[in-house]
């Protein structure tokens, strides 16, 4: 098995090739290392390869692991990428710089409430449900429009909406995966046109198995776990 350092280099090379293939600017796709279920020692190893952007699914786990990472590598940034219960928001906004998995207006209300208490501005992405077999995300573009209207009414002054996130279906069928990512790109283009006062250019899509397809479809941020850290051990 490769080391984490070697894996990061391999992924970066693949990202570079995928950018070239779709005639996108070098460096237009950011790599996020998804460290859920992996120990702090693995996160340190990634940091030593100058990988400073991480994603975690569970707030509790992130709160146990990341304080020591921030201490040792202050340039580290953490995003929450898993579905978030409202009672976890208080802790989430303390350690994360972005919540990618915003899937309902009541979650925005809670983020606003908790961020106003600590006077922090939180970046968020709207998660859109684009695949039959997953459950997460806003169920339609229209629901995201409704949320953005509330931003226009200045309801969420401690939240900075930066773009969109999705998960493709778990399938080997490449055209299904393309379709899912394309759906997010088209949604983002439509919403950016409708809401020009916001800069909604982040497109978080693509994981270990499908990030090259996601880059072809316009991804600006790929979330890679297994291909960097190896298989997750869910017994932990
Ligand atoms: C776990 C997870 C990833 C990373 O998945 P891999 O297949 O291990 O790369 C990406 N995004 C989300 C939302 C995840 O939950």
């Amino acid at each position: 098995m490769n080391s984490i350092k070697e894996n990061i280099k391999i992924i970066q090379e693949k990202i570079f090739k995928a950018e070239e293939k779709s005639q996108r600017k070098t460096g237009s796709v950011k790599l996020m290392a998804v460290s859920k279920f992996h120990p702090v020692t693995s996160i340190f190893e990634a940091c030593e390869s100058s990988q400073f952007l991480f994603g975690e699914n569970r707030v509790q786990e992130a709160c146990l692991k990341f304080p020591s990472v921030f201490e040792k590598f202050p340039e580290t940034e953490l995003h929450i990428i898993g579905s978030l219960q409202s009672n976890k928001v208080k802790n989430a906004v303390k350690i994360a710089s972005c919540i990618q998995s915003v899937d309902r207006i009541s979650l925005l209300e809670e983020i606003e409430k908790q961020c106003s208490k600590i006077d922090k501005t939180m970046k968020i992405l709207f998660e859109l449900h684009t695949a039959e077999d997953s459950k997460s995300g806003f169920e339609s573009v229209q629901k995201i429009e409704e949320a953005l209207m509330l931003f226009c009414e200045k309801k969420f002054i401690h939240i900075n909406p930066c773009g969109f996130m999705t998960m493709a279906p778990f399938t080997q069928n490449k055209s299904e995966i393309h379709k899912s990512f394309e759906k997010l790109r088209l949604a983002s283009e439509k919403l950016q046109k409708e809401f020009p006062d916001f800069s909604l250019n982040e497109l978080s899509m693509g994981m270990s198995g499908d990030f090259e397809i996601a880059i072809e479809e316009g991804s600006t941020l790929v979330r890679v776990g297994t291909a960097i850290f190896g298989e997750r051990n869910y017994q932990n």
Side-chain angles (χ1 to χ4, degrees):
M1 212 179 87
N2 288 331
S3 68
I4 289 170
K5 197 176 169 180
E6 286 163 335
N7 286 339
I8 288 175
K9 213 173 146 216
I10 291 166
I11 304 287
Q12 282 170 337
E13 190 59 36
K14 287 183 176 169
I15 291 174
F16 176 73
K17 290 231 171 79
E19 285 170 339
E20 271 195 329
K21 188 180 164 196
S22 42
Q23 285 152 1
R24 299 192 43 201
K25 226 172 84 198
T26 306
S28 53
V29 181
K30 293 185 282 284
L31 173 60
M32 159 179 285
V34 177
S35 48
K36 65 186 182 204
F37 291 96
H38 292 285
V40 177
T41 49
S42 298
I43 299 172
F44 285 155
E45 226 178 300
C47 289
E48 275 149 21
S49 298
S50 297
Q51 173 63 44
F52 296 119
L53 176 61
F54 293 91
E56 288 274 344
N57 277 49
R58 299 183 307 173
V59 175
Q60 212 172 350
E61 180 183 344
C63 287
L64 287 173
K65 284 156 45 176
F66 272 80
S68 64
V69 181
F70 292 139
E71 196 175 326
K72 202 166 171 196
F73 297 96
E75 56 272 76
T76 302
E77 222 189 294
L78 174 69
H79 293 189
I80 298 297
I81 60 173
S83 62
L84 183 56
Q85 291 169 264
S86 291
N87 62 3
K88 303 281 163 60
V89 169
K90 186 178 178 187
N91 286 331
V93 300
K94 283 184 195 154
I95 54 164
S97 61
C98 178
I99 296 172
Q100 292 202 358
S101 40
V102 170
D103 60 357
R104 59 194 187 278
I105 287 171
S106 63
L107 185 58
L108 288 167
E109 290 167 346
E110 186 61 22
I111 294 169
E112 173 62 28
K113 182 176 154 196
Q114 297 301 336
C115 282
S116 71
K117 283 188 193 169
I118 58 172
D119 197 23
K120 180 172 178 173
T121 301
M122 181 65 45
K123 292 188 282 185
I124 63 108
L125 303 182
F126 298 101
E127 182 175 359
L128 180 64
H129 177 238
T130 60
E132 287 305 321
D133 59 351
S134 94
K135 311 178 282 289
S136 55
F138 279 96
E139 68 200 44
S140 68
V141 176
Q142 194 199 328
K143 292 268 186 234
I144 299 180
E145 279 169 350
E146 287 169 21
L148 278 162
M149 295 294 273
L150 297 172
F151 279 92
C152 293
E153 294 166 21
K154 306 269 189 275
K155 288 268 194 327
F156 306 124
I157 57 176
H158 294 87
I159 307 178
N160 179 15
C162 298
F164 308 92
M165 183 270 229
T166 201
M167 301 236 274
F170 295 103
T171 171
Q172 299 299 313
N173 184 333
K174 285 192 175 179
S175 85
E176 288 291 308
I177 297 171
H178 269 283
K179 250 187 245 163
S180 167
F181 292 146
E182 184 190 33
K183 222 184 228 178
L184 191 69
R185 176 169 48 79
L186 294 175
S188 84
E189 287 166 3
K190 175 173 156 62
L191 290 164
Q192 182 64 84
K193 255 193 218 124
E194 287 174 8
F195 297 92
D197 290 349
F198 301 102
S199 181
L200 303 169
N201 36 39
E202 196 82 279
L203 271 189
S204 171
M205 53 190 203
M207 320 200 323
S208 292
D210 56 22
F211 70 89
E212 285 153 301
I213 298 176
I215 292 170
E216 284 177 45
E217 292 293 347
S219 173
T220 61
L221 190 158
V222 294
R223 310 178 307 266
V224 179
T226 311
I228 292 176
F229 297 110
E231 293 295 332
R232 290 179 280 274
N233 178 358
Y234 292 105
Q235 264 75 265
N236 278 348

